[in-house]
Amino acid sequence: MKKGWIATLAVLLLLVQTPTAWGAAERFTVSVNGSEVDFKDAAPYLSGSALMVPVRAAAEKLGWKVSPSADMKELLLASGDAAVRTTIGSGTATVQEVKRSFTPVSILKQGRVYVPLAFFKEILGAATDFPAGGTAATITAASGMPQTAQQSPPSLPLPSGVVEEAAIVGKGSTYALPGTLTLPKSAPGLLPAVVLVHGSGPSDRDETAYGYKPFRDIAYSLAEQGIAVLRYDKRTYTYGSTFTPESAAKITVKEETVEDAIAAAKLLKNDPRIDPSRVYIIGHSLGGMLAPRIDAEGGDFAGLVLLAGSPRSLLDIMFDQNEAILATLDDNDPKKQAGKDFLAHERKKAEQLAGMTDAQAMTSTVLGVPAYYFKEMDEHKTTDVAAGLTKPLLVLQGQDDFQVYADKDYVMWQELFKSKTNAQFKLYPGLNHFFVDYEGAGAGTVAEYGKPGRVAQVVLDDIADFILKR
């Protein structure tokens, strides 16, 4: 079985993406929509911490026609009515007359044009993944079609009663993060406010994923209802390309998420327009899992909203999701047994985590991710931290979520908080991991994320109601 397929299997596509930094490897593979690309006489390679990919072979698998200019100074990509033009050696591209950037710059090498993996995400709109310490990258397009046509999140004008201003989370620190503070234009007094905390992996302030911008949707709606909202680009999104393989092996959720969320809370509490006693945290996915820890380690919020989070360990969820992928394969497919063998091997490694020293964990991996990432997180179990919460809690879950399960993770939250009067729960029929309602082709798979959608209004209203009644 090809190593690239195994690595694709081993990493959860949206819930679990790890910090953007990689270790050395002899051979790198790239799979597009689950099929490994044959680069023939070219091959992906690392440039610093970025994976450089021969653009033609990969883009053509996404449905793009790739044409270099005669003088090899420009590159044109076309698919139907969509067109992309970029100068070779630059870090910008024009997409349907709109200029976009990517990093590092493209390069001409031995007659082949190479672009960073980020090009496929930032310019062509595909989902990309390259696990820390791994050798296999994935590029995914909904239904295998060009993504500029399918996966652009819907535009949404700023509501008339809302204003936005630039903010810097952790200003003056090593990892200052650009963000946006969304506010109602007028308010009779001090405002309640929320900090939005992302799911895993490098993510911008809108938590843009495929055809969705859930954090933008939340910010606009809550601000319309009188609540200030702070969202910001994640540390691994802003600084991921600067991490060395050695520093990447030491990154945990503390550096990736916890520290910055606490800094965001302090920023809001020091704003004279905000009521410091009414600052809440809204954590989505991994952010929902970490919200109790963020609160305990310095966030000190007035209440917590957990969106599609889980009290289980991250590794448990990753193994569940990978097993779900295997279950879709035919029993006669040799990949199925090979995948089972691989997961069994990785489970044995996971069982040894607790007995590892930090140094040992930093030089080992589980499911292609530095073991130290999981070891540190397991030392701060969500169940242990959340069990002691006495603050108001709102736990929300989409019934059609195929990443975090309504019949497992949501039920575990209910069991954990069953004796608490401070906890409220709501399960939404028809909504997925991003609280978007979807019916149609590809339902229950990543393909459904390719159709642009917005967070259901009922969810936004329930969040606002929870905050405004306190």
Side-chain angles (χ1 to χ4, degrees):
M1 181 178 58
K2 293 183 179 180
K3 189 175 182 181
W5 182 85
I6 279 290
T8 301
L9 171 70
V11 179
L12 178 59
L13 185 58
L14 286 174
L15 178 65
V16 182
Q17 296 175 8
T18 50
T20 309
W22 303 275
E26 293 183 356
R27 178 177 180 265
F28 297 94
T29 62
V30 176
S31 295
V32 173
N33 294 329
S35 176
E36 187 174 321
V37 180
D38 181 2
F39 291 105
K40 301 186 185 302
D41 57 345
Y45 69 94
L46 280 183
S47 176
S49 59
L51 184 67
M52 302 298 291
V53 180
V55 65
R56 182 191 294 271
E60 286 181 348
K61 270 189 169 289
L62 285 169
W64 293 90
K65 180 181 179 181
V66 181
S67 305
S69 61
D71 58 6
M72 294 301 289
K73 290 184 177 180
E74 284 193 329
L75 198 68
L76 175 66
L77 294 86
S79 179
D81 295 332
V84 173
R85 186 180 297 275
T86 181
T87 299
I88 299 170
S90 77
T92 62
T94 302
V95 184
Q96 302 293 79
E97 306 306 322
V98 176
K99 194 172 184 178
R100 298 181 186 175
S101 61
F102 58 92
T103 187
V105 300
S106 58
I107 186 172
L108 181 64
K109 183 178 179 181
Q110 296 180 336
R112 302 289 185 181
V113 179
Y114 287 76
V115 296
L117 186 65
F119 178 91
F120 296 92
K121 177 180 179 181
E122 303 300 336
I123 306 304
L124 302 188
T128 61
D129 188 51
F130 190 21
T135 60
T138 62
I139 302 172
T140 308
S143 304
M145 297 298 290
Q147 304 227 340
T148 52
Q150 287 201 40
Q151 296 192 10
S152 299
S155 60
L156 188 63
L158 189 69
S160 59
V162 169
V163 294
E164 289 194 322
E165 57 188 51
I168 301 293
V169 173
K171 188 174 183 179
S173 69
T174 304
Y175 297 108
L177 301 172
T180 301
L181 180 60
T182 310
L183 305 140
K185 276 185 178 178
S186 60
L190 294 179
L191 294 167
V194 300
V195 172
L196 298 182
V197 181
H198 321 72
S200 60
S203 181
D204 66 16
R205 69 195 70 184
D206 291 333
E207 205 187 31
T208 304
Y210 293 82
Y212 304 155
K213 285 184 177 288
F215 279 9
R216 177 206 59 187
D217 298 347
I218 294 172
Y220 284 11
S221 182
L222 294 192
E224 279 189 294
Q225 299 184 64
I227 301 166
V229 180
L230 178 60
R231 65 197 198 273
Y232 52 92
D233 295 340
K234 200 170 178 180
R235 186 182 299 193
T236 45
Y237 179 86
T238 306
Y239 296 100
S241 62
T242 69
F243 299 150
T244 65
E246 293 75 22
S247 64
K250 299 177 182 178
I251 291 175
T252 69
V253 291
K254 183 175 180 65
E255 297 82 19
E256 185 192 23
T257 299
V258 176
E259 292 177 345
D260 298 325
I262 292 172
K266 291 178 179 178
L267 178 62
L268 285 177
K269 291 177 182 180
N270 289 328
D271 190 313
R273 298 165 293 183
I274 304 299
D275 183 346
S277 69
R278 299 179 70 198
V279 175
Y280 292 76
I281 183 172
I282 299 177
H284 176 238
S285 196
L286 180 65
M289 297 171 67
L290 294 174
R293 176 177 174 181
I294 296 166
D295 176 71
E297 293 191 5
D300 192 20
F301 297 98
L304 296 80
V305 180
L306 313 181
L307 302 177
S310 173
R312 289 194 293 150
S313 78
L314 192 57
L315 270 173
D316 282 348
I317 296 172
M318 289 180 73
F319 279 116
D320 267 4
Q321 295 247 352
N322 283 287
E323 287 169 354
I325 293 172
L326 285 175
T328 66
L329 300 180
D330 188 278
D331 288 340
N332 295 322
D333 189 334
K335 293 178 182 178
K336 188 165 190 173
Q337 187 56 52
K340 287 182 177 180
D341 293 343
F342 173 79
L343 290 184
H345 178 262
E346 294 300 297
R347 278 192 182 277
K348 289 182 180 179
K349 290 166 64 177
E351 291 166 359
Q352 299 169 2
L353 271 179
M356 289 183 183
T357 65
D358 289 351
Q360 289 171 329
M362 289 176 189
T363 59
S364 180
T365 63
V366 180
L367 294 177
V369 178
Y372 184 56
Y373 187 86
F374 299 118
K375 182 177 185 293
E376 193 275 345
M377 197 172 179
D378 286 348
E379 291 168 353
H380 301 80
K381 295 185 184 299
T382 301
T383 49
D384 295 342
V385 182
L389 282 169
T390 58
K391 298 177 178 181
L393 293 162
L394 179 62
V395 181
L396 306 182
Q397 175 71 42
Q399 194 166 34
D400 288 358
D401 189 338
F402 59 86
Q403 294 185 228
V404 175
Y405 307 124
D407 60 354
K408 182 177 288 188
D409 302 284
Y410 180 70
V411 170
M412 287 185 69
W413 281 127
Q414 291 177 308
E415 182 65 22
L416 182 64
F417 298 139
K418 67 180 180 181
S419 62
K420 295 181 178 294
T421 58
N422 58 306
Q424 300 177 40
F425 304 88
K426 189 156 186 182
L427 182 65
Y428 299 92
L431 300 191
N432 63 20
H433 187 62
F434 292 91
F435 295 87
V436 173
D437 190 357
Y438 177 82
E439 294 181 4
T445 71
V446 174
E448 73 175 61
Y449 298 158
K451 182 179 179 180
R454 289 170 52 186
V455 176
Q457 189 62 46
V458 62
V459 177
L460 302 171
D461 291 343
D462 285 344
I463 295 172
D465 186 64
F466 172 78
I467 293 169
L468 293 173
K469 284 187 175 179
R470 283 166 175 76

